[in-house]
Amino acid sequence: MIAFFQSLNPILQALLATLFTWGMTALGAALVFATKTLNQRLLDSMLGFAGGVMIAASYWSLLAPAIEMSEGNPVGNWFPAAFGFLLGGVFLWGIDKILPHLHPNTSIGEAEGVSANKRKRSTLLVLAITLHNIPEGLAVGIAFGALANGGTEAALIGALTLALGIGIQNFPEGVAVSMPLRGEGMSRRKSFFYGQFSGMVEPIAAVLGAFAVAFVEPLLPYALSFAAGAMIFVVVEEVIPSSQEKGNKDLASMSLMFGFVLMMILDVALG
């Protein structure tokens, strides 16, 4: 598989990798065909696990490479990572205030964004996970786009590992949309459609991210850290609170730690 990916254009690599992550979202959403409800403890543990994967990926796959690439920067090798990280958080904060959405495990009265109270619950849930998936798609796209500037086999394995980690944590995201909709009486087919639809943005964001850094090399450390900052904002603002709002705080916290360790092992051992 490594040899196959090496023969492809980095933008095509990013597209294929995020088609996999989108597929994992669809796989999670497909659980509605097997059951109408999912145990709340299991759902909360899956959300916590997803948060741990995202936190680990933000450092090992994004921030650490950004700092390494910034050696010799006249301001300091910390500057691109720090600036990009904060910019990513501010960017997601701005979108969070504008895009109407509803976090998993919350009531319709807690919807956020412009005119959120005028929209259906199904639409708000999909928009929330879509918002969640934008930085994930960017992260994968940027990792593959970096390979256009003479990336090594180790860098390719690191990008593939990041896509694998994002794919693993996309599974509970699909569940987090489709299961609540099914529980409210929506048909299995519609619940699945909305659940998998939330992952569709990842290939789009990945291609845009890969295209940008493949042709503008100096942007790379800023782009990597931007994606990291956006992902951390999503974890802190959405994933962790959603995993703990139903009272399963200890379970969700331990699941987050397991997710973090798994992604750390994958990144260090394979990347």
Side-chain angles (χ1 to χ4, degrees):
M1 187 179 71
I2 300 298
F4 169 73
F5 263 84
Q6 283 182 315
S7 67
L8 301 177
N9 179 281
I11 296 174
L12 182 56
Q13 292 173 345
L15 176 61
L16 291 176
T18 45
L19 287 176
F20 162 73
T21 62
W22 178 15
M24 290 297 289
T25 305
L27 187 62
L31 284 184
V32 293
F33 293 112
T35 180
K36 185 175 181 178
T37 59
L38 189 69
N39 181 277
Q40 187 65 49
R41 285 173 57 83
L42 178 58
L43 179 58
D44 290 344
S45 67
M46 292 170 73
L47 286 171
F49 180 86
V53 170
M54 292 177 70
I55 293 171
S58 295
Y59 176 72
W60 271 280
S61 297
L62 300 171
L63 277 177
I67 294 171
E68 186 177 341
M69 291 174 187
S70 302
E71 287 290 340
N73 186 291
V75 180
N77 61 348
W78 53 268
F79 179 77
F83 180 81
F85 184 83
L86 292 174
L87 185 63
V90 170
F91 176 76
L92 257 291
W93 173 80
I95 293 181
D96 190 68
K97 296 301 180 186
I98 297 171
L99 184 72
H101 62 284
L102 179 67
H103 298 169
N105 288 338
T106 56
S107 66
I108 191 68
E110 298 174 272
E112 301 176 5
V114 177
S115 302
N117 59 345
K118 299 179 182 179
R119 300 178 185 271
K120 294 181 179 179
R121 178 179 175 84
S122 59
T123 302
L124 293 171
L125 278 170
V126 172
L127 288 174
I129 303 299
T130 300
L131 173 65
H132 187 161
N133 285 339
I134 291 173
E136 295 171 9
L138 279 174
V140 175
I142 290 165
F144 280 102
L147 302 176
N149 301 302
T152 63
E153 182 175 315
L156 173 59
I157 294 174
L160 289 170
T161 302
L162 175 62
L164 176 62
I166 295 297
I168 290 171
Q169 65 90 42
N170 272 5
F171 183 86
E173 290 181 6
V175 176
V177 176
S178 62
M179 282 300 181
L181 297 179
R182 178 61 182 153
E184 291 174 6
M186 184 176 286
S187 71
R188 285 185 169 90
R189 187 171 297 179
K190 282 189 175 181
S191 299
F192 168 74
F193 174 78
Y194 282 120
Q196 65 80 34
F197 184 81
S198 63
M200 193 179 295
V201 70
E202 288 195 4
I204 299 171
V207 169
L208 292 175
F211 186 84
V213 300
F215 296 101
V216 190
E217 185 176 357
L219 282 179
L220 186 53
Y222 294 93
L224 287 168
S225 51
F226 176 92
M231 286 176 64
I232 291 296
F233 180 89
V234 167
V235 173
V236 175
E237 197 271 343
E238 176 186 338
V239 179
I240 293 177
S242 294
S243 71
Q244 299 187 353
E245 283 172 345
K246 297 297 183 179
N248 297 313
K249 294 185 177 181
D250 290 344
L251 176 63
S253 297
M254 290 306 302
S255 298
L256 184 146
M257 295 185 71
F258 279 117
F260 183 95
V261 168
L262 175 63
M263 187 62 200
M264 178 183 68
I265 291 171
L266 287 173
D267 205 288
V268 174
L270 301 179

